[in-house]
Amino acid sequence: MPSTMRAVVLQGPEQLTVEDVPVPELLPGQELVRIAACGICGSDLRYFAGENPWAKHTLGYEKPNPPGMVLGHEIGGYRGDTAVGCLAFKSCGRCAECRRGEMQLCAHTAHLGHGAGWEGQNPGGMAEYCPVWSEHVYELPPGVSVDEATFLDGLAVAVHAARVAGGFPGDAVLLLGGGPIGLLIAQATKALGAGEAVVADVYETPLACARELGLGRTANLREGGAEALTGEGFGVVFDTTGDLGAQQMGLGKLRRGGTMVLMAGAAEGLTLGPATLAGERRLMTCSNHRYEDFEIALRLLADGRVRVGPMITHRFPLEQAAKAFEVARDKVKTGALKVILEVDE
C-alpha cells in the first residue's frame, strides 16, 4: 500500500487542485476501498462555490468548510478484486435522532466528501483510495458496474424522499428540476407505486433523458411548456432546484391532501398565502437518507427498475477534475447531466 495517493482537494472557494495527499488513516471498523469512479454531485458544486450544503440542510445553518477537503461521496470501487458500492456516511448512533432511527438527521455524522465529523483529515471519494466503514461496503450484484454504483448515494436520497413524501399509489408526481436527483426521484417514485412522474426543467437535456427513461410527460418551462402541468393537481411535487419561482409554482400545483418536498431547502422569500396549504396540503424538506434506503436503492438498480446509464453524459480522468467541474457547473451550455471522474483506469 502506498503512503500517498492522488486526490481532488478543495482548499477554498473555487480553489480546486489534484495533488498528492497521505493515504487516509483508518478509524476502527473502516477499510480502504480502491476507488474506480466517483460522481460529481450538485452538493460538490456547492462546496466548490464556497457553500456547505450538508450543514445548511441538516443542521439548518451555514458552517465554514474545513481546509483541505477531499471531495466526493458518490463512490464505485473495489474491495480486493470485488466491485463494490459504498454508503458514504456513519451517524453517531447515540443522539436522539439516531435513537429514533433518523440517522439522516444526526448532527454528529462522519460523512465522506463533506468535511463533516473528521479531525485532522477530510477524506472523500475523489481519490485513489477512500476509508469506508466495513458494514457500508456493498458487493455489487451482477450487471451493476462501478460507474453505475456512483448513483447509489443519489438514488438512496431519492428513495428516502419518495418514502417520506407518501401520496401514492397511483398518484401523479411532479419533478421540478430534471437533473440527476430529479430523474432518480422520478424513477424511484414510479418503482414505489406512483402512476406518472412528470419532469419539468428549463433546458432540453434532462427532458430528453426523462423521455428515454420512459417517464411521464415533460415540460420545458423556458419554452412555454407549462401546459403539460395542467390537470387536477399532483399528489407530490418535488423541487430539486431551490428556485423561488419554481417553488411558488409548485405549491400551486398541489392537489388537496398533496405534499411538496423541498430537496434543496426553502428559497429565500418563499411566501405562503391563506390558501396555499389549505385542504391538508403539506410542505416539507428532505435531508440525506437512511441506511435502509441505500439497500433499497441497490435492489432497484440491480433489478432494472431504475436505470442510470442514460444519465451519464461525461467522463473525465481524475487529473482533469477542474475541467470536469467546469463542465458540470455550466450544464446548460455543455449538456451535462451526470459527470463522472474515472479514477482507476
Side-chain angles (χ1 to χ4, degrees):
M1 176 63 63
S3 59
T4 63
M5 63 180 185
R6 300 294 282 171
V8 177
V9 182
L10 184 66
Q11 300 292 0
E14 302 196 14
Q15 299 177 36
L16 193 73
T17 60
V18 181
E19 59 188 77
D20 290 320
V21 301
V23 172
E25 298 178 8
L26 295 178
L27 299 177
Q30 288 185 331
E31 60 186 81
L32 275 181
V33 170
R34 178 167 54 90
I35 303 301
C38 188
I40 297 178
C41 177
S43 61
D44 293 315
L45 298 177
R46 293 175 67 182
Y47 283 117
F48 180 71
E51 301 179 52
N52 186 323
W54 179 83
K56 182 175 181 180
H57 298 312
T58 302
L59 306 180
Y61 59 84
E62 291 283 0
K63 185 179 180 181
N65 293 319
M69 287 175 60
V70 178
L71 292 177
H73 55 277
E74 299 183 340
I75 301 168
Y78 291 93
R79 169 197 272 162
D81 294 326
T82 301
V84 296
C86 301
L87 197 162
F89 75 94
K90 187 174 180 65
S91 64
C92 75
R94 302 181 302 274
C95 68
E97 288 76 17
C98 285
R99 292 197 301 271
R100 292 195 299 266
E102 296 178 331
M103 68 286 294
Q104 80 279 10
L105 302 179
C106 173
H108 312 289
T109 291
H111 206 156
L112 298 170
H114 289 268
W118 307 95
E119 293 184 7
Q121 58 179 0
N122 296 292
M126 294 182 187
E128 293 179 299
Y129 297 94
C130 186
V132 184
W133 298 271
S134 293
E135 70 270 28
H136 291 169
V137 180
Y138 291 81
E139 182 176 345
L140 296 181
V144 177
S145 70
V146 289
D147 277 5
E148 291 172 324
T150 65
F151 286 84
L152 284 169
D153 183 90
L155 181 52
V157 169
V159 168
H160 181 64
R163 293 176 75 197
V164 300
F168 7 95
D171 238 336
V173 301
L174 171 62
L175 283 301
L176 297 175
I181 290 295
L183 292 173
L184 290 172
I185 294 173
Q187 293 187 78
T189 56
K190 286 179 68 67
L192 296 176
E196 181 185 28
V198 180
V199 178
D201 210 302
V202 295
Y203 80 117
E204 187 58 29
T205 298
L207 302 179
C209 188
R211 292 190 289 270
E212 182 177 352
L213 290 169
L215 299 174
R217 292 166 285 159
T218 60
N220 189 324
L221 300 180
R222 182 165 289 169
E223 297 179 0
E227 63 273 6
L229 308 183
T230 58
E232 297 181 355
F234 295 88
V236 186
V237 175
F238 297 91
D239 174 66
T240 69
T241 69
D243 177 76
L244 176 60
Q247 292 183 2
Q248 294 285 186
M249 181 185 71
L251 284 169
K253 299 299 180 182
L254 283 177
R255 63 157 171 77
R256 287 190 294 276
T259 300
M260 182 162 183
V261 185
L262 306 180
M263 301 299 298
E268 188 73 31
L270 184 65
T271 59
L272 302 178
T276 305
L277 299 181
E280 296 189 352
R281 294 172 174 88
R282 295 190 302 156
L283 178 66
M284 64 178 295
T285 60
C286 188
S287 299
N288 206 11
H289 63 83
R290 298 179 181 177
Y291 297 160
E292 62 264 29
D293 299 317
F294 189 93
E295 297 179 2
I296 295 170
L298 184 56
R299 291 198 295 272
L300 292 177
L301 196 58
D303 67 19
R305 283 185 287 169
V306 171
R307 293 192 297 130
V308 297
M311 298 164 59
I312 302 172
T313 55
H314 297 77
R315 292 178 172 87
F316 290 89
L318 186 71
E319 296 294 332
Q320 294 182 23
K323 176 64 174 178
F325 269 71
E326 179 184 333
V327 167
R329 189 163 64 161
D330 197 8
K331 61 183 181 181
V332 175
K333 178 180 177 181
T334 63
L337 270 178
K338 175 56 68 178
V339 179
I340 291 178
L341 291 176
E342 303 283 5
V343 183
D344 182 21
E345 299 183 273

